[in-house]
Amino acid sequence: MGGSLAGLLAAHVVAGHADRVTVVERDRFPDGTGSRPGVPQGRHPHVLLQGGQVALESLLPGFLAELRAAGAPRVGMPSDMVMWQNGRWFRRLTATTHIYTGSRAQLEDLVRRRVLANPVISVVEGTDAVGLLGDASRVRGVLLRDRSGGAGAEHRALEADLVVDASGSGTKAPQWLAAIGAETPYEETIDTGLAYASRVYRGRKGVLDGETLGYYVYPGPDQVHGGGALPLEDGSHLVIVSGLRGDEPPTGDDEFETYTKRLQHPLLDRWLEDAEPLSPAFGYRRTANIRRRYDLPGRRPAGFLATGDALCTFNPIYGQGMAIAAMTAVALRGALADRRRTPTTRRVQQVLLAASRQAWDISAGADRKMPGAVGTAVADGPADRVADWYLRRVMERSPGDPVVGRVFRSVLTLSAPVSALFAPPVARAVLFTPPGPTPTEPPATPEEPGG
């Protein structure tokens, strides 16, 4: 259920174990790279983190070469970006990781072409899934309704040995499970009320040219406004600004540009003075972290799995969604191929949740400290406070310390485990070395290697 990245990649994996896989998608797929209503964040910045790149290449060999050939910008971190966090500019040291910043529509189109080329996989478009078939012991399929017939359209059954919910953060699966007598999952939530707005611009001159590909101000408890500009495949930049509940960025053209003045430095505002707007501004406000604990004991049926945002939704500001869609699909592939263990529903669901745990710890951990955060998972304990103390020292040193910065970026881009932050070289710098010097103004060019 769902033909976005998580659904497509899950279908790709399951196709290796099934005679037939059907993807049920409520939208009709665009011809090419157009946006669609089912991806409400499609008009906003998306990044493909290093961990997601490795996972996608493993699932679809040669995919990254296709992505580069399509023109998706590959941005080196921190060399290609002007970045600010916690009152400090980052040194533009030699890149130790890269992200892709092209549009979501472009990446999804490339994945869709590769996955749907498999004759085992078929698609039912323009169709809503409206319920589950089966009972509390086993799910046996889904009820479908053609969207062209409206709410009164006749329901039809699609039988299946396995149903995978990849319908996104707005999933109705908990209610459908309750309707067949099963137990709904416990939901962990953290909501800061963060909202953002985005608009496409083409620069005429300024810092986002030549050796600088992008600019970003990270929000935090002491500076709640964030924003920046990231390059797209056509040479334009997607500009984003964010604020918290009660101070949401506006979507009016003039008001959007005025809102950029709330950032800590006028760099972006100055660039916009000479940039040409190419689109209206679009807003987005559904940024809560939500984790549905299907892995916990309970009266739940066999034959049903949740993945993607239907399992774990992250605040999009951290750019983890596409990476986790791919990494979860890799985990699903491993669980289904493991000959040592029977892939029971609960065991596989535990594997899928584990694949998203680091991203949850990063996103939820940061949002828990934001002013005004609410939800069932906001409270922290003594162990969390010790970890927060250590991570604050990591963040203080990452803008200027090459060793700490390299490892911190690898953790944030999901290419190294959190335990890497406690390796001896990092721990020594964090515990016994003061933060190193950083630029006092936005650095216009990368540092020379070894500088």
Side-chain angles (χ1 to χ4, degrees):
M1 298 186 292
S4 194
L5 285 177
L8 290 169
L9 294 174
H12 173 72
V13 169
V14 172
H17 302 267
D19 297 322
R20 183 176 66 254
V21 177
T22 304
V23 177
V24 178
E25 170 53 46
R26 69 190 309 272
D27 289 337
R28 294 198 175 276
F29 290 127
D31 183 14
T33 60
S35 60
R36 57 188 181 88
V39 187
Q41 300 157 248
R43 293 186 174 94
H44 300 280
H46 281 75
V47 298
L48 181 61
L49 303 177
Q50 192 83 37
Q53 295 168 38
V54 173
L56 268 173
E57 187 68 18
S58 172
L59 293 164
L60 305 171
F63 180 82
L64 295 182
E66 293 182 21
L67 192 60
R68 289 193 293 272
R74 183 172 181 260
V75 179
M77 305 287 283
S79 58
D80 294 338
M81 292 280 290
V82 173
M83 296 185 294
W84 184 95
Q85 186 175 29
N86 295 330
R88 310 185 78 199
W89 296 104
F90 282 67
R91 292 176 60 188
R92 293 180 61 180
L93 301 162
T94 301
T96 60
T97 188
H98 292 79
I99 59 174
Y100 285 91
T101 64
S103 66
R104 164 67 178 262
Q106 180 195 58
L107 189 142
E108 190 173 297
D109 178 63
L110 292 173
V111 170
R112 188 164 56 240
R113 290 174 186 272
R114 288 285 298 271
V115 170
L116 298 187
N118 187 338
V120 172
I121 302 174
S122 61
V123 179
V124 178
E125 299 179 62
T127 301
D128 283 323
V130 294
L132 296 172
L133 302 173
D135 52 37
S137 63
R138 172 169 285 278
V139 167
R140 304 185 185 278
V142 291
L143 282 173
L144 304 181
R145 181 181 64 203
D146 190 324
R147 300 193 76 203
S148 63
E154 183 178 349
H155 294 178
R156 59 188 176 92
L158 175 62
E159 295 184 353
D161 297 309
L162 174 66
V163 173
V164 180
D165 179 16
S167 59
S169 58
T171 176
K172 299 294 191 299
Q175 296 95 302
W176 298 341
L177 287 168
I180 61 173
E183 188 175 340
T184 61
Y186 174 71
E187 291 189 357
E188 298 173 312
T189 62
I190 299 176
D191 186 4
T192 65
L194 182 139
Y196 53 86
S198 306
R199 192 181 187 191
V200 180
Y201 288 83
R202 188 177 302 279
R204 296 192 177 103
K205 63 180 182 179
V207 296
L208 300 183
D209 297 309
E211 296 183 271
T212 301
L213 300 182
Y215 166 63
Y216 207 80
V217 168
Y218 292 92
D222 300 324
Q223 163 57 33
V224 297
H225 296 102
L230 295 174
L232 295 174
E233 59 268 20
D234 62 358
S236 63
H237 280 77
L238 191 47
V239 174
I240 181 173
V241 286
S242 67
L244 296 185
R245 186 183 297 109
D247 188 22
E248 297 88 350
T251 55
D253 294 349
D254 293 338
E255 293 85 357
F256 176 85
E257 295 191 5
T258 299
Y259 197 90
T260 64
K261 299 180 185 296
R262 304 185 186 209
L263 300 183
Q264 195 75 5
H265 191 278
L267 182 64
L268 182 62
D269 183 50
R270 290 173 183 169
W271 182 76
L272 290 179
E273 290 177 356
D274 293 311
E276 174 191 5
L278 301 181
S279 78
F282 296 94
Y284 192 76
R285 297 189 179 188
R286 293 175 57 189
T287 61
N289 303 278
I290 305 172
R291 184 160 64 169
R292 298 175 177 90
R293 300 302 303 269
Y294 288 104
D295 60 307
L296 297 177
R299 191 179 66 259
R300 298 196 186 89
F304 175 85
L305 295 172
T307 189
D309 282 357
L311 174 63
C312 196
T313 304
F314 313 98
N315 187 337
I317 207 75
Y318 301 106
Q320 301 166 318
M322 296 196 303
I324 290 300
M327 294 171 73
T328 304
V330 170
L332 176 61
R333 182 180 64 183
L336 296 182
D338 188 351
R339 296 183 178 181
R340 299 168 301 171
R341 298 180 176 181
T342 301
T344 63
T345 299
R346 186 182 172 201
R347 180 171 292 141
V348 175
Q349 199 67 81
Q350 289 172 333
V351 169
L352 299 186
L353 194 79
S356 64
R357 183 166 294 129
Q358 180 166 320
W360 172 268
D361 290 343
I362 292 170
S363 179
D367 278 4
R368 189 180 287 121
K369 295 186 279 292
M370 293 295 286
V374 297
T376 63
V378 170
D380 55 13
D384 295 314
R385 288 190 284 273
V386 172
D388 288 346
W389 174 85
Y390 186 86
L391 290 174
R392 278 198 303 273
R393 294 179 69 87
V394 170
M395 293 174 63
E396 289 169 355
R397 285 152 182 78
S398 62
D401 187 306
V403 173
V404 177
R406 175 180 58 79
V407 176
F408 191 44
R409 283 188 293 277
S410 67
V411 171
L412 292 180
T413 57
L414 308 177
S415 55
V418 173
S419 59
L421 294 173
F422 301 92
V426 180
R428 281 195 297 269
V430 171
L431 296 174
F432 305 116
T433 305
T438 55
T440 57
E441 290 294 326
T445 59
E447 292 187 19
E448 292 292 331

